[in-house]
C-alpha cells in the first residue's frame, strides 16, 4: 500500500479491478502493478458493510476514477502485535488512473483518526521519508504517525506548509502545497537555465506520485530545453505505471527548487533519471536497453496543477501536523 494526501479514505483494490483495467495489457500486469488484490468473492471472518455516506469526503478521487462503489469494516493488521479492529476500507473495482492500494493521510484521514482514537498515536500528525526509488541505489523510507525520527533531521524544520485549498496554479485541491518562486535546470556544460524566475508557481505535495507532474507550459519548456524526442517509445507489450520522458542517452541534468519561505531543494541526476524499468506481459520487471527515463510525467498535470511526488521528497523529511 502507498500513502496519499489526496484522499482521506483507505482505498483497497479488489480482484474485479483487472476486468476494468484499460492500462494493462495482461491480467498479470494488472495484478503486479497493484500488488495483492482483495477478493470480495472469498471473504471470511469479521467483515461488515458500511454505508458510503460514512466515508469522509474525497473530492479529488472522483476526478480521476469512478466513485467508491462499496465500503466495509474489517480488521487492519499494522504489525505482528498491533491491529485496528473495525477499520473502514473503501473498496475499488475500477481505478484506471490509480495503480495501487492507498492509505489516505489527508487532513480528515480515517487512518490517522483511528490511530488517535485507539490511543496508538498522540495526535493527528505524521512524518514521511520517501527514501529512493533508484534501481541502482534504492533507499528505504518510512511513515511515523504522531512524531518523527530525530536522527533524520539536521537542524530545524524550515517550512510550515499551509493546509488544504486550491493553489494558485490550476484548481486541484490538495492537503499540502508549497509555492515555488524559482526553478532552475542545470545541464552539463551549460549555464543554469531558469524555468521559473520572477513569478510564482504553486504545487501540491503528494507522496503517492512517483514522478513530477508539470503544467502544460513547464512540461513543454523542459522538453524543448532537453531536446526531447517523442519518437523514443517503448515496445507496446511493456507497461510502465507512471510514464516519464524517455531519452536514448543518459540524462545528467539536475533541477533546483526554491520554495518560497522555505528550503532550496536540489534534485540530483541520480534521482531525476535512470534506465527505464517496465512490466513484461508475464508481470515480471524488466530493464529496457538503451532507453532512459526522466522522472517527469509525460502528460500535462491533472487540472494543470503541478505535483511534487516521491522524487522531490527523496531529498526531504516531510513533517505534518493537521
Amino acid at each position: 500500500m502507498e500513502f496519499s494526501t489526496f484522499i482521506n479514505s483507505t482505498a483497497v483494490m479488489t480482484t474485479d479491478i483487472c476486468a476494468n483495467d484499460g492500462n494493462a495489457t495482461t491480467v498479470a500486469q494488472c495484478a503486479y502493478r497493484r500488488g495483492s488484490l482483495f477478493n470480495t468473492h472469498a471473504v471470511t471472518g469479521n467483515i461488515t458493510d458500511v454505508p458510503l455516506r460514512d466515508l469522509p469526503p474525497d473530492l479529488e478521487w472522483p476526478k480521476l476514477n469512478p466513485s467508491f462503489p462499496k465500503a466495509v469494516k474489517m480488521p487492519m493488521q499494522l504489525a505482528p502485535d498491533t491491529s485496528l479492529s473495525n477499520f473502514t476500507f473503501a473498496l475499488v473495482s475500477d481505478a484506471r488512473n490509480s495503480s495501487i492500494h492507498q492509505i489516505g493521510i489527508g487532513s480528515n484521514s480515517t487512518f490517522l483518526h483511528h490511530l488517535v482514537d485507539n490511543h496508538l498515536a498522540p495526535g493527528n500528525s505524521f512524518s514521511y521519508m520517501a527514501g529512493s526509488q533508484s534501481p541502482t541505489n534504492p533507499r528505504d523510507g518510512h511513515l511515523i504517525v504522531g512524531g518523527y525520527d530525530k536522527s533524520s533531521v539536521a537542524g530545524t524544520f524550515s517550512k510550515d506548509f499551509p493546509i488544504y485549498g486550491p493553489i494558485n496554479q490550476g484548481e486541484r485541491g490538495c492537503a499540502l502545497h508549497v509555492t515555488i518562486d524559482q526553478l532552475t535546470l542545470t545541464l552539463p556544460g551549460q549555464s543554469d537555465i531558469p524555468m521559473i524566475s520572477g513569478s510564482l508557481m504553486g504545487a501540491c505535495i503528494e507522496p503517492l506520485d512517483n514522478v513530477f507532474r508539470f503544467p502544460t507550459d513547464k512540461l513543454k519548456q523542459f522538453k524543448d530545453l532537453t531536446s526531447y524526442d517523442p519518437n523514443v517509445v517503448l515496445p507496446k507489450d511493456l507497461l510502465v505505471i507512471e510514464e516519464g520522458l524517455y531519452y536514448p542517452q543518459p540524462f545528467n541534468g539536475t533541477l533546483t527548487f526554491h520554495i518560497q519561505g522555505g528550503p532550496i531543494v536540489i534534485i540530483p541526476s541520480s534521482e531525476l533519471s535512470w534506465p527505464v524499468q517496465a512490466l513484461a506481459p508475464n508481470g515480471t520487471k524488466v530493464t529496457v536497453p538503451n532507453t532512459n527515463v526522466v522522472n517527469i510525467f509525460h502528460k500535462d498535470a491533472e487540472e494543470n496543477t503541478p505535483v511534487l511526488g516521491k522524487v522531490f521528497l527523496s531529498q526531504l523529511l516531510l513533517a505534518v501536523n493537521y
Side-chain angles (χ1 to χ4, degrees):
M1 300 185 83
E2 293 277 3
F3 299 102
S4 172
T5 63
F6 275 129
I7 66 172
N8 294 301
S9 301
T10 291
V12 174
M13 311 287 175
T14 71
T15 49
D16 297 328
I17 205 164
C18 288
N20 301 311
D21 191 356
N23 294 315
T25 304
T26 67
V27 172
Q29 288 176 328
C30 170
Y32 187 95
R33 74 189 284 250
R34 300 180 185 285
S36 59
L37 298 173
F38 181 66
N39 190 347
T40 56
H41 307 292
V43 173
T44 60
N46 186 17
I47 181 170
T48 57
D49 290 346
V50 176
L52 289 173
R53 64 177 178 272
D54 288 355
L55 294 176
D58 279 315
L59 303 180
E60 294 304 311
W61 180 274
K63 295 178 182 179
L64 297 173
N65 301 294
S67 298
F68 301 128
K70 186 177 181 179
V72 298
K73 280 189 176 181
M74 57 185 176
M76 182 183 192
Q77 195 74 34
L78 297 176
D81 58 349
T82 306
S83 64
L84 299 176
S85 60
N86 294 320
F87 184 76
T88 300
F89 293 86
L91 300 185
V92 181
S93 58
D94 188 348
R96 302 185 184 191
N97 290 308
S98 295
S99 63
I100 199 167
H101 314 289
Q102 299 175 28
I103 298 178
I105 50 173
S107 56
N108 194 24
S109 164
T110 56
F111 176 68
L112 297 178
H113 286 318
H114 211 87
L115 291 177
V116 173
D117 293 344
N118 284 271
H119 308 291
L120 295 173
N124 197 33
S125 60
F126 66 87
S127 61
Y128 176 82
M129 179 169 281
S132 175
Q133 304 170 92
S134 167
T136 57
N137 191 27
R139 187 176 73 251
D140 289 339
H142 64 246
L143 180 111
I144 298 175
V145 178
Y148 66 93
D149 179 5
K150 289 185 178 180
S151 67
S152 300
V153 179
T156 59
F157 291 106
S158 57
K159 174 67 179 178
D160 292 330
F161 294 96
I163 302 299
Y164 199 83
I167 60 178
N168 64 359
Q169 175 87 18
E171 296 296 331
R172 192 173 185 183
C174 48
L176 304 173
H177 70 264
V178 295
T179 299
I180 301 163
D181 57 24
Q182 188 174 329
L183 173 59
T184 303
L185 171 65
T186 302
L187 297 173
Q190 298 186 34
S191 300
D192 288 351
I193 305 168
M195 293 184 62
I196 296 175
S197 181
S199 61
L200 301 176
M201 183 177 78
C204 295
I205 292 180
E206 170 56 315
L208 179 68
D209 286 354
N210 292 316
V211 299
F212 288 106
R213 298 184 183 246
F214 282 179
T216 304
D217 59 335
K218 297 306 172 191
L219 181 60
K220 181 181 185 304
Q221 184 182 14
F222 185 90
K223 289 178 177 179
D224 291 344
L225 290 171
T226 58
S227 302
Y228 171 74
D229 182 358
N231 294 313
V232 179
V233 297
L234 304 185
K236 292 183 178 180
D237 63 342
L238 297 182
L239 173 68
V240 174
I241 296 172
E242 288 183 72
E243 288 197 70
L245 302 176
Y246 300 133
Y247 294 80
Q249 68 282 335
F251 182 87
N252 295 314
T254 64
L255 285 173
T256 302
F257 293 81
H258 292 245
I259 306 301
Q260 188 178 54
I264 298 173
V265 181
I266 301 173
I267 311 301
S269 58
S270 58
E271 292 293 337
L272 192 56
S273 178
W274 46 63
V276 174
Q277 293 193 315
L279 295 180
N282 63 1
T284 59
K285 187 177 289 187
V286 297
T287 299
V288 182
N290 304 316
T291 310
N292 297 273
V293 61
V294 169
N295 292 312
I296 297 173
F297 196 59
H298 69 297
K299 294 181 179 179
D300 298 344
E302 182 72 21
E303 298 187 70
N304 216 35
T305 302
V307 178
L308 310 178
K310 284 192 183 73
V311 175
F312 180 81
L313 294 172
S314 70
Q315 306 302 301
L316 299 168
L317 173 69
L318 176 66
V320 178
N321 185 2
Y322 288 127

